Amino acid sequence: MGLVLCACSSLRYYAQAAHGQGELVTHRRAVSAVLRDPATDPKLAVRLQLAQKARRFASERLGLPDNRSYTGYVDLHRPYVVWNVFAAPPFSVEALPQCFPIAGCVAYRGWFKEADAKADAARLQARGDDVWIGGVPAYSTLGWFADPILSSMLDWDDDELDSTIFHELAHQLIYVKDDTAFNESFATFVQTEGLREWRKSRGLLPQDDHAEAMDDGFTQLVLDLRERLKTLYASGMAESAMAEGKQREIAAFRTRYAQWRDRKWPNEHGYDAWVAQPINNARLLPFGLYDQWTPAFAMLFQRAGQQWPAFYAQVRMLARQPADARDKELQRLLDGRKAVQ
């Protein structure tokens, strides 16, 4: 019976995914048509025009795929395109993997309707898992479809919108099944370096690194909490004692956060709401996924003479290696990066 129920659940999941992707295809309009439409909001037109220039830059200067992705537009009439459900056991900081035929195993499962995501989260929570739901403004189909610019992406500023296009196209270029940290770190490096070159090409000054420095500091605080919890869960103590220890570690994290904020960023309160909300293992999972190996890819880019074709060739060589060998090489690059800083 369990296998039958699992199969039915999987069928429902794939059916909603197919329906959701189908709706995007159905409602996609060519950006050129949107720009010609006299009813188009002038502010939207300006943003789409700049995004199209960034799209051309991505292919012509960054060596990213030259296809129909991000040449279309979809007005979603909702804040996110999908809602990702993260889940972890109550005494583990490792994600319950979600595996798919094309993308392989990732740390979450995406739903096109928030109600479906909440139902999935409730099911996992009922069996005792920690869960968290995160709304996602953009995602990549890895080139299987012509991914459009989504209205949910327009809540970002131009830099975030344009660099996200670079990020998602990087996934289309190189993607390794079952290695989220590799894929996201690679795409994040392309996003960051691509944005730097994109701004320079337009005569703009480099971005202020204030926000990035604060983001990095907060991420390190969260990763430290995750490591402390990992040590606790490996201690072998009784579950009741681990449950109490878990809450003590989370409370101590909130104290460390307040001290860090007041010492380094006394006028910044952007993370206060996140810290005040309930924290569990699942809520910690996204941290580190997007940038674990990013400095290693930066080192690889330097060794490739900052030439995109040579860089991508080296990344592809890494991608073909077994997972253990790939991680060892990335760690070696990471250590080398730290040594020269």
Side-chain angles (χ1 to χ4, degrees):
M1 178 63 74
L3 288 174
V4 173
L5 290 174
C6 181
C8 291
S9 175
S10 295
L11 287 174
R12 283 195 297 271
Y13 176 76
Y14 287 120
Q16 69 86 32
H19 178 74
Q21 182 61 45
E23 283 196 322
L24 294 184
V25 172
T26 299
H27 294 99
R28 182 178 60 210
R29 297 177 65 198
V31 169
S32 57
V34 176
L35 294 176
R36 289 194 304 268
D37 189 341
T40 297
D41 185 321
K43 291 181 180 179
L44 172 61
V46 169
R47 300 207 66 197
L48 290 178
Q49 285 173 336
L50 181 60
Q52 291 308 278
K53 291 178 181 178
R55 176 67 188 86
R56 288 193 294 273
F57 182 87
S59 296
E60 294 171 1
R61 299 284 292 279
L62 305 181
L64 294 171
D66 186 5
N67 55 31
R68 291 175 57 229
S69 289
Y70 307 107
T71 63
Y73 174 71
V74 174
D75 190 346
L76 293 172
H77 302 289
R78 61 180 189 264
Y80 302 111
V81 61
V82 293
W83 285 261
N84 284 342
V85 176
F86 293 84
F91 302 116
S92 172
V93 292
E94 300 299 323
L96 292 172
Q98 305 294 330
C99 300
F100 309 99
I102 296 172
C105 296
V106 295
Y108 51 82
R109 189 147 69 158
W111 298 86
F112 279 89
K113 293 182 179 179
E114 186 178 16
D116 290 341
K118 288 181 176 179
D120 188 37
R123 176 184 63 83
L124 293 164
Q125 197 166 29
R127 72 182 195 184
D129 294 322
D130 282 4
V131 298
W132 180 69
I133 301 172
V136 181
Y139 75 101
S140 172
T141 61
L142 305 180
W144 286 85
F145 296 92
D147 296 321
I149 296 171
L150 304 169
S151 56
S152 52
M153 299 165 67
L154 298 179
D155 288 336
W156 298 323
D157 63 21
D158 287 333
D159 280 349
E160 187 71 12
L161 172 61
D162 298 345
S163 66
T164 297
I165 292 173
F166 304 156
H167 182 108
E168 302 300 350
L169 287 172
H171 282 317
Q172 293 187 18
L173 186 70
I174 300 174
Y175 187 90
V176 178
K177 271 192 174 185
D178 307 329
D179 198 336
T180 301
F182 178 92
N183 295 325
E184 295 300 345
S185 295
F186 163 68
T188 296
F189 171 75
V190 174
Q191 175 177 6
T192 303
E193 178 61 23
L195 177 59
R196 188 193 67 78
E197 295 188 15
W198 170 230
R199 287 181 62 88
K200 184 178 180 181
S201 74
R202 294 152 59 214
L204 300 178
L205 294 173
Q207 274 190 307
D208 183 358
D209 61 2
H210 176 93
E212 183 179 355
M214 188 176 180
D215 288 347
D216 289 345
F218 182 72
T219 296
Q220 288 306 311
L221 282 173
V222 176
L223 293 178
D224 176 67
L225 169 60
R226 198 161 71 186
E227 283 303 310
R228 290 168 185 262
L229 289 173
K230 185 177 181 180
T231 300
L232 171 69
Y233 299 151
S235 66
M237 65 176 63
E239 288 193 357
S240 58
M242 280 199 291
E244 292 177 1
K246 179 179 181 179
Q247 295 309 312
R248 282 197 301 271
E249 289 291 358
I250 291 171
F253 160 78
R254 290 191 169 104
T255 299
R256 288 194 299 275
Y257 163 75
Q259 293 170 343
W260 167 81
R261 180 203 60 204
D262 293 344
R263 184 177 69 255
K264 290 195 169 186
W265 313 95
N267 299 317
E268 301 284 356
H269 297 276
Y271 290 108
D272 288 7
W274 191 98
V275 173
Q277 292 174 10
I279 297 173
N280 62 24
N281 300 328
R283 199 151 180 250
L284 307 179
L285 291 174
F287 288 86
L289 278 180
Y290 283 73
D291 53 15
Q292 177 181 345
W293 300 120
T294 300
F297 285 111
M299 189 69 171
L300 201 61
F301 189 66
Q302 293 298 321
R303 292 185 178 181
Q306 299 185 355
Q307 299 298 309
W308 290 105
F311 169 67
Y312 295 142
Q314 293 190 38
V315 174
R316 287 190 179 94
M317 289 177 62
L318 268 178
R320 288 193 290 267
Q321 293 184 24
D324 288 346
R326 184 166 60 244
D327 285 351
K328 286 180 181 178
E329 178 61 19
L330 287 167
Q331 187 61 54
R332 189 178 68 81
L333 288 163
L334 191 62
D335 293 341
R337 175 79 170 182
K338 290 176 181 178
V340 299
Q341 286 181 337

